[in-house]
Amino acid sequence: MASMNHKRPRDDEAAKGGTSEEDAPKLTPLEREIYHARLEKEGALLFPIVRNDSTDAAVKMLIQVKTVFTQQLPKMPRAYISRLVLDRQHVSLVCTFRGEVVGGITYRPVMSQRMAEIVFCAVSAKHQVQGYGTRIMNQIKEQCKRDNIEGMLTYADNHAVGYFRKQGFKKQVTMKRERWQGFLKDYEGATLMECLVDPTIDYLSTRQVAEQQRKAVVQKVSELERAEAGSGATASNRNVTSAAAVVGDLSAARDVLHKGWAPPVLEVRYRGEAQTVEQVVKTIYEAVSAHEDAWPFKQAVKHEDAPDYHEIVKNPIDLSMIHERIYRRPCYYVTPDQLLADLYVMFENCRLYNPDTTVFWECATRLEAYTRNRTAELHVERKPRVHD
Ligand code: ACO
């Protein structure tokens, strides 16, 4: 695709915008997440995915979101915005509040590369700084999960880099260049940024999950403190033991409370030897993919070979995708369990699609047994990170 060197700085006047009399009260990020979830449940806040399928409803909505983009990105030629928003390879996630389009994202999914290019992102002036931009981005991450897209790339306007950073985008692009070069439109005065999408995260509840975890730690610490002070007679031993098991020990738990949580240190032993996660993940992958029953899993199932495959198998995965996840920088797997989860999904997919009389079914079952056998001597211990 030809590179588009359009300038996209934000017009300060338009950007300043105004605040609406309808402005939501000042909320913490957690309160905002709960507030938006409630509005979504009530149907007041919606995030339809809109493609130009020539229906009046789709075109009308696309024109409304295009209007937000032209107002918020005033230096970007209007005709250029219209063309891309209405283009059939582009998709828009539109945010509507009580029937009014308040913002959205236009993106181009590149399914063959499992990545998406974010082309335009904006919220109307009177709705800015009320969390809509965050919710829109979290909704698009959920859409990426549904579409099996592993990462998003964007050329962020320099003044919007801070916003994208808060949404998990980084200037360091870890996707292999071949996956995105030639697929992105680049812009003058903009910064290339990447956000990887983790399929295990519920992006619409991150604040609530963090709050639940914080409360659980507070509760465990107070149980342990009561026990330590000798006033724990009322707390059953079982509770105290389970609390200790969860938080390790009291000082580690206090660290979590006072200094913040850090991922635990993983100690991985494989066949009696201490190894790094990456080493062990590579060893298991190489052994499984070299097995004589691995041939059906080497590449993704092609549409021409099984036209209904993607209707039946919702989370397709194959060894080439696992290879890509291991060998890209940084390695996608942060624990060996994640690799095993991918492998077991792969076997399950195969048995879901193929009858048990087929050679594919047999290969999946034998290779699964081999994987279990091969990882029987894998031990992973999670130790709370020690603070200085
Ligand atoms: N720079 C730094 N931080 C920002 C910016 C910014 N330009 N805009 C918002 N933030 C921060 C907010 O303070 C908030 O921080 P917090 O979570 O600590 O409270 C966080 O980012 C999210 O704020 P939201 O209220 O969720 O975002 P908002 O609804 O205001 O939408 C957006 C952000 C889309 C950038 C909006 O301000 C906008 O439309 N700006 C004009 C158009 C624009 O610049 N779009 C991006 C162009 S690049 C591209 O389209 C690929």
Side-chain angles (χ1 to χ4, degrees):
M1 163 166 297
S3 127
M4 306 284 172
N5 275 317
H6 289 299
K7 216 167 167 47
R8 193 170 46 184
R10 185 166 69 159
D11 176 297
D12 280 348
E13 281 313 301
K16 260 186 247 155
T19 48
S20 154
E21 57 281 15
E22 289 177 67
D23 275 357
K26 202 77 194 116
L27 301 174
T28 65
L30 169 65
E31 289 166 340
R32 202 176 265 163
E33 187 179 273
I34 295 169
Y35 175 63
H36 283 158
R38 183 163 59 76
L39 291 176
E40 282 165 34
K41 209 166 160 202
E42 290 166 358
L45 185 61
L46 299 172
F47 296 89
I49 297 288
V50 190
R51 292 177 174 82
N52 184 0
D53 57 5
S54 302
T55 58
D56 289 353
V59 172
K60 193 173 158 203
M61 198 166 267
L62 290 174
I63 287 178
Q64 286 174 317
V65 76
K66 182 218 71 173
T67 305
V68 175
F69 295 147
T70 51
Q71 284 168 352
Q72 294 307 312
L73 302 164
K75 299 269 169 72
M76 179 69 81
R78 280 165 183 248
Y80 177 69
I81 296 181
S82 303
R83 182 159 68 75
L84 293 189
V85 172
L86 294 170
D87 177 74
R88 285 167 199 267
Q89 289 185 359
H90 288 72
V91 183
S92 296
L93 181 139
V94 182
C95 171
T96 69
F97 179 52
R98 302 202 198 289
E100 180 192 354
V101 170
V102 302
I105 284 182
T106 290
Y107 66 104
R108 189 164 80 99
V110 185
M111 293 305 192
S112 61
Q113 306 302 317
R114 292 202 162 95
M115 69 96 176
E117 172 198 20
I118 295 205
V119 184
F120 307 122
C121 164
V123 169
S124 65
K126 74 172 180 178
H127 291 99
Q128 284 177 16
V129 205
Q130 293 172 44
Y132 290 104
T134 301
R135 197 71 182 172
I136 289 171
M137 198 54 86
N138 288 334
Q139 288 283 355
I140 204 162
K141 289 176 188 167
E142 287 295 316
Q143 184 62 28
C144 285
K145 279 165 54 183
R146 287 189 285 274
D147 289 343
N148 215 357
I149 284 174
E150 293 177 345
M152 300 182 283
L153 287 167
T154 193
Y155 274 97
D157 285 355
N158 289 336
H159 68 264
V161 164
Y163 159 76
F164 280 102
R165 195 176 284 129
K166 286 195 169 168
Q167 309 308 319
F169 283 74
K170 296 200 167 68
K171 289 185 183 176
Q172 190 203 2
V173 174
T174 58
M175 253 185 242
K176 277 193 191 147
R177 193 169 269 273
E178 309 88 85
R179 283 182 72 183
W180 54 268
Q181 201 167 34
F183 289 105
L184 295 193
K185 298 171 273 296
D186 68 70
Y187 297 89
E188 238 177 66
T191 305
L192 181 61
M193 298 184 84
E194 175 195 73
C195 175
L196 297 180
V197 178
D198 184 332
T200 62
I201 294 176
D202 174 359
Y203 287 101
L204 300 179
S205 315
T206 51
R207 303 280 181 179
Q208 292 164 81
V209 170
E211 178 61 10
Q212 281 164 7
Q213 289 172 342
R214 193 191 64 78
K215 281 187 178 155
V217 172
V218 169
Q219 191 191 331
K220 302 296 179 198
V221 169
S222 67
E223 280 175 24
L224 285 165
E225 277 176 341
R226 278 205 307 272
E228 193 187 49
S231 60
T234 53
S236 76
N237 284 343
R238 193 168 51 78
N239 278 347
V240 173
T241 315
S242 70
V246 171
V247 292
D249 59 39
L250 189 51
S251 68
R254 280 195 190 113
D255 268 354
V256 170
L257 273 186
H258 301 307
K259 298 179 185 170
W261 180 83
V265 178
L266 285 192
E267 279 186 9
V268 181
R269 293 191 79 74
Y270 185 54
R271 298 182 156 182
E273 258 181 56
Q275 296 202 5
T276 65
V277 171
E278 200 167 328
Q279 276 171 332
V280 81
V281 156
K282 283 181 179 166
T283 310
I284 296 168
Y285 166 79
E286 296 300 344
V288 170
S289 58
H291 192 272
E292 59 181 2
D293 287 318
W295 59 269
F297 306 101
K298 296 273 179 185
Q299 294 296 329
V301 174
K302 292 200 188 86
H303 180 75
E304 54 267 34
D305 296 335
D308 59 344
Y309 186 80
H310 289 88
E311 279 160 35
I312 294 168
V313 173
K314 294 298 176 202
N315 293 308
I317 183 138
D318 61 275
L319 289 172
S320 71
M321 200 200 294
I322 293 176
H323 180 277
E324 161 73 12
R325 288 181 168 182
I326 296 172
Y327 287 93
R328 78 176 178 209
R329 289 274 155 259
C331 176
Y332 169 90
Y333 300 110
V334 290
T335 78
D337 310 347
Q338 290 173 323
L339 168 72
L340 292 178
D342 270 0
L343 288 170
Y344 294 135
V345 167
M346 190 175 78
F347 304 136
E348 214 35 64
N349 285 347
C350 180
R351 284 190 295 246
L352 178 66
Y353 186 76
N354 298 290
D356 59 6
T357 47
T358 59
V359 65
F360 303 113
W361 201 93
E362 285 175 11
C363 282
T365 305
R366 280 198 300 265
L367 196 56
E368 183 179 45
Y370 171 76
T371 308
R372 288 197 194 283
N373 202 9
R374 187 77 210 199
T375 52
E377 288 179 58
L378 171 67
H379 300 286
V380 180
E381 208 178 322
R382 292 170 171 74
K383 298 205 162 160
R385 199 169 285 263
V386 179
H387 290 279
D388 304 328

